[in-house]
């Protein structure tokens, strides 16, 4: 039986960018769990989720339910499930691997990690990457990103990325955010956050780095910067996950 | 050799309230490490820290260095150290116990926990507890709290605590914040966040709860509320730590 993983496509056929969906795809690939991606454009997520009876994962700024990818359908249990943390917990329970991604009773401690990582490391990233992401999206998802992000930041996409001295300062801020996470990593015997086995926290980090590498490309100055920061920690982690980057 | 633990006194002699210092005192008591509290009023922390060559732990809103308790002096190694997370790491390394408070390589994952817990669970608490805390402080520390917190919240202490329907809503918000932490706890086999042994995360949580119990008293409506919420989880955790509440 094959799990269906719902994800958002781009102009790069056979490639994926969503950092939340990459979390789940990495787990599926690591565990060799059979799955197939079903591609769905951003403005169709809400109606598709409602049609399948999939729960919203939060609220929009106007207080109405917010539906997000990833969500999965697993015919072997009949489940339809949204929210990457919930899906990870489900996969861990249903398809346990040789080593747990929540080892030593760390599920509780790791469960807020995705939000913590985003709020610690990524606030300065969005104004740089959203206009670049827009360029690789298909028209329907592109229009959705333009409308929602221009409203959020109060700026047209074309003026969103800070330039010149401000750009340098904001890029340095992004590096500083990742630097805080580097401090967490440096407190363990590494290379992973819990030592020598991959856990949910690493998957969250690498999935976000994968967004950057896919959107900007590995030859871009942005990726050259990021992958070299903090002793090459981020480039090294992404390399470690290379064997799990298949998109099916 | 006896460690000196610097803490802020109150009108309750032989009692302590600072949630950051309680983290360290709990560790010292759990490990039976000889220590003695040296009491220091809030406005004296900066000059005392500078005099002892103790590092600031952050920046004030105006960008100047911010000095905080707890800090310790350990004559057996000669160290002077501030920042509760750094002190916890130091004690763990220098005075290891039968079980680690950072077990299974979780120091990296636990190191942001104190900030995470405060930002998740406690934002709605301060307007309730600061005016009550003021009442139990000695004049010098009381004046310091009044000046800094009235500036921070833009309200006199006497008008800070929300009342009536707004008060009920804000108290419910505080409960909701703790509810998010309850979800983390409920994902483990408990009673502690990493299962059956006490870790740094539990110490952070219980130290903050100890502030509430000390300031409001265990017969107060506030403590009756808090200790009963979420199946009595918070009251239960504080009870578990009762044997470590000695103040010397």
């Amino acid at each position: 039986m094959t799990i269906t993983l719902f994800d958002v496509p781009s102009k790069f056929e056979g490639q994926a960018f969503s950092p939340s969906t990459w979390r789940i795809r990495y787990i599926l690939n690591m565990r060799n769990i059979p799955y197939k991606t079903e591609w769905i454009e951003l403005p169709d997520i809400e109606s598709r989720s409602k049609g399948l009876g999939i729960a919203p994962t939060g609220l929009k700024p106007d207080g109405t339910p917010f539906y997000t990818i990833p969500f999965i359908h697993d015919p072997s249990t009949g489940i339809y499930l949204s929210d990457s943390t919930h899906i990870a917990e489900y996969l861990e329970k249903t398809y346990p691997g040789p080593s747990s991604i929540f080892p030593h009773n760390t599920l509780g401690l790791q469960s807020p990690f995705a939000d913590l990582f985003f709020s610690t490391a990524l606030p300065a990233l969005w104004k740089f990457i959203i206009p670049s992401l827009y360029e690789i999206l298909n028209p329907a998802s592109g229009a959705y990103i333009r409308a929602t992000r221009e409203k959020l930041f109060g700026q047209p996409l074309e003026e969103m990325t800070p330039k010149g001295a401000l750009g340098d300062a904001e890029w340095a801020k992004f590096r500083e955010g990742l630097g805080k996470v580097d401090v967490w990593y440096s407190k363990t015997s590494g290379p992973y956050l819990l030592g020598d086995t991959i856990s949910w926290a690493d998957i969250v980090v690498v999935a976000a780095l994968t967004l950057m590498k896919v959107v900007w490309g590995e030859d871009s100055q942005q990726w050259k910067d990021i992958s070299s920061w903090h002793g090459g920690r981020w480039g090294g982690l992404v390399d470690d996950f290379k064997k799990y980057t298949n998109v099916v």
Side-chain angles (χ1 to χ4, degrees), chain A residues 26 192 206 209 213 218 223 227 232-245:
Chain A
Y26 277 130
Y192 304 115
V206 174
L209 294 166
K213 188 177 172 189
E218 62 182 324
W223 182 247
S227 58
R233 183 182 299 286
W234 317 117
L237 280 170
V238 167
D239 284 347
D240 284 352
F241 274 65
K242 223 170 198 167
K243 50 186 173 294
Y244 308 124
T245 50

Side-chain angles (χ1 to χ4, degrees), chain A residues 171 174-175 212-213 216-236:
Chain A
W171 193 242
F174 168 46
R175 179 189 170 135
M212 304 170 211
K213 188 177 172 189
W216 281 321
E218 62 182 324
D219 296 326
S220 65
Q221 188 56 49
Q222 292 95 327
W223 182 247
K224 280 179 190 161
D225 281 2
I226 297 162
S227 58
S228 71
W229 288 342
H230 307 114
R233 183 182 299 286
W234 317 117

Side-chain angles (χ1 to χ4, degrees), chain A residues 69-196:
Chain A
I69 51 143
F71 51 89
I72 65 164
H73 170 54
D74 184 352
S76 70
T77 61
I79 204 169
Y80 287 89
L81 194 62
S82 55
D83 186 310
S84 69
T85 308
H86 291 164
I87 299 171
E89 285 179 53
Y90 167 79
L91 292 175
E92 181 71 17
K93 208 181 275 180
T94 316
Y95 304 94
S99 68
S100 171
I101 61 168
F102 302 112
H104 305 298
N105 237 327
T106 57
L107 173 58
L109 187 61
Q110 287 200 68
S111 63
F113 187 84
D115 286 346
L116 174 67
F117 172 70
F118 268 55
S119 64
T120 303
L122 305 187
L125 170 70
W126 305 118
K127 287 191 166 196
F128 288 98
I129 207 166
I130 287 168
S132 302
L133 172 63
Y134 171 80
E135 296 293 332
I136 71 162
L137 292 175
N138 293 322
S141 290
Y144 179 93
I145 281 286
R146 179 182 285 279
T148 53
R149 271 38 170 203
E150 290 190 342
K151 192 172 172 193
L152 183 67
F153 290 109
Q155 281 175 312
L157 285 181
E158 289 70 15
E159 294 170 20
M160 201 169 275
T161 300
K163 307 260 188 318
L166 179 63
D168 292 345
E170 287 296 307
W171 193 242
K173 240 190 227 171
F174 168 46
R175 179 189 170 135
E176 277 165 34
L178 274 175
K180 292 180 195 164
V181 180
D182 179 60
V183 171
W184 308 342
Y185 269 90
S186 68
K187 288 179 185 292
T188 74
S189 55
Y192 304 115
L193 193 54
L194 288 178
D196 52 14

